[in-house]
Each structure stands twice: as structure tokens, then as C-alpha cells.
Amino acid sequence: MAVYRFKVYFEDDESIVREIEIKSTQTFEDFHNTIQSSVGFDSAHPASFYVSSETWRRGKEIIFLHKKHSAGLKGTWMHETKIATFVEDPHQKFIYEFDPEGGNWILLAELMKIIPDASVTYPRVNKSIGAAPAQYKVTSPEELPLVEEEEEEAAVAIIDDSEDKYIHPEEEHHFDIAEEEDPIPRRVVKEVAAEMSEDEAIEDATEGDEPLDEEDESAEQNEEDFS
């Protein structure tokens, strides 16, 4: 049984190469799955092989029957089509397209040689050169669009407002002793002060004066007698 050895590489980077060996009786779906695993893709999007001319002109399309994307499609399906069906040239070429509406990955497959069957499992990757690009592009902070100053200020205002409503902690109130007791209204204090007698006012005014000692009292008495 014949085994095909294909050279598969990215259209926009020929330095990333995979040599894939596959039996002539195996299907294009087997070829598809091997390409996907060899470059680390997830096979979660539409894919097609195109029979190509010598100058990479697309011909017959062979479609991967993906459950999510196959509604209403008609055509030649990968799982039903053997590789040998479309190998008509010793250097037969195929264009492989994956995720046309997303990453739009295009790889080129060229038949290198036909080799005899060996006691190994096919399809298989015979040689791998170069690291494949990431299937999904990760956006770095540098690639994010700059936010205008007005938008930033509006965003900050919204955050501040939300903090006041939802995050502001309840302040603990410390009561003084005077606050714990019922304070006397100022109006009552003024009324009491107005009703105070003159003697009480004098006593209140002199309250706190230091008492006279005995010598000062006797001297004061002598002055009164003399007068």
C-alpha cells in the first residue's frame, strides 16, 4: 500500500514546516486532524482542502463536516474522500484553509514522494521544523486603545460614586461623658443666670480667690480702727 509524504507549511511563513506521512487509503479528514495536532490548533472552526494547480490555483473544494458549521452545506466531505482520489500528479498540491472568518490560516501541502508502507501508525508527523504561531492572538496592554482623559474622569467619578454608596464604612461614634448626659439647653442657662441674686453673682465672681492669712486680717482690722 502506498504512503504519501507531504511537506506542509504556512503560506506566510515557509520556515515553519511539517512533514506528514499518510496512507493513500486514508481520508482528508485524517489529514486535517494530523495538520491540526502538528501545529497545536483546536479544530474548532471550518476547514477545507482545495485541489491546487502547479501555480497554487484553487480547484475542487473538500470540506470538513463540522457539526456547528455544516447546516445547509453541500459538497465533497473530508471524511468520505480518500487522499488517493485527488492525487493525480507526483508533486500534487493542496491548499488547506482553516477558520476563514477568524484567523484565516492558510497552509500549503505538496507531495514530496511516495514511499512503501512501514510498520508504523499512519498518519504521522515525520519531521517538524519551527514553532507554529498561536492560534488565538492574545491582546497585550500595549495594544489596547488609549482612553481619552474625559472618559477616564467619568470612569473615576462613577467608581467614586459607587464607593460612597456601597463601600463607605460606617464610622464608629465615640461619645463623651458630657454627650452621654442630657445637656442643659442654653436657654435654661440664660434664664437661671438672670434670676441669680446680686450676692450670688458676687460670690460666684469671688469664688476661687485665695483666703487671707491671720496677719493680713489683723492689718486690715487696724486700718479700719485707725480710720
Side-chain angles (χ1 to χ4, degrees):
M1 185 180 297
V3 174
Y4 300 139
R5 178 180 292 170
F6 284 95
K7 176 184 177 182
V8 181
Y9 54 93
F10 285 87
E11 181 183 45
D12 56 356
D13 190 347
E14 297 183 14
S15 66
I16 302 172
V17 179
R18 302 292 184 266
E19 285 187 7
I20 296 176
E21 295 176 350
I22 186 168
K23 290 181 179 181
S24 60
T25 55
Q26 290 180 306
T27 67
F28 278 93
E29 185 173 12
D30 295 324
F31 199 7
H32 157 80
N33 291 333
T34 306
I35 292 174
Q36 288 282 309
S37 61
S38 72
V39 296
F41 286 2
D42 61 11
S43 191
H45 304 281
S48 294
F49 282 100
Y50 294 89
V51 179
S52 173
S53 67
E54 184 67 26
T55 57
W56 298 108
R57 185 172 181 176
R58 298 187 182 195
K60 180 72 174 179
E61 182 181 14
I62 308 155
I63 306 169
F64 174 58
L65 184 60
H66 196 287
K67 293 181 181 179
K68 295 181 180 179
H69 309 282
S70 60
L73 289 178
K74 294 181 180 180
T76 303
W77 305 111
M78 291 187 191
H79 68 282
E80 297 177 340
T81 310
K82 295 179 181 180
I83 298 291
T85 304
F86 291 104
V87 174
E88 301 171 351
D89 188 280
H91 299 285
Q92 182 65 57
K93 295 179 180 179
F94 296 104
I95 298 172
Y96 174 73
E97 184 179 57
F98 174 65
D99 192 14
E101 296 181 359
N104 192 29
W105 300 100
I106 297 176
L107 292 89
L108 307 178
E110 184 176 357
L111 181 59
M112 298 174 66
K113 63 172 63 176
I114 300 175
I115 60 176
D117 191 2
S119 57
V120 295
T121 300
Y122 297 103
R124 68 169 190 157
V125 179
N126 180 60
K127 184 183 293 185
S128 179
I129 302 172
Q135 179 180 350
Y136 300 107
K137 184 178 181 181
V138 178
T139 303
S140 64
E142 291 77 11
E143 295 175 306
L144 293 175
L146 296 176
V147 180
E148 298 293 337
E149 291 184 2
E150 294 181 359
E151 294 179 357
E152 289 182 349
E153 292 175 359
V156 171
I158 292 172
I159 293 173
D160 291 343
D161 183 60
S162 63
E163 287 180 351
D164 289 340
K165 290 182 179 179
Y166 304 107
I167 307 177
H168 187 65
E170 183 178 353
E171 295 184 359
E172 183 179 355
H173 185 75
H174 298 282
F175 293 93
D176 295 332
I177 296 177
E179 291 180 336
E180 293 179 357
E181 299 176 355
D182 293 335
I184 301 174
R186 291 187 177 183
R187 177 178 58 77
V188 176
V189 175
K190 289 181 179 180
E191 292 176 357
V192 172
E195 295 174 358
M196 288 176 61
S197 65
E198 183 178 353
D199 293 338
E200 289 174 335
I202 294 172
E203 182 180 353
D204 184 66
T206 58
E207 184 177 343
D209 293 344
E210 295 183 0
L212 298 174
D213 55 23
E214 294 180 358
E215 293 181 358
D216 294 336
E217 289 179 357
S218 60
E220 185 177 349
Q221 184 65 39
N222 292 334
E223 290 179 1
E224 291 178 356
D225 295 340
F226 180 75
S227 60

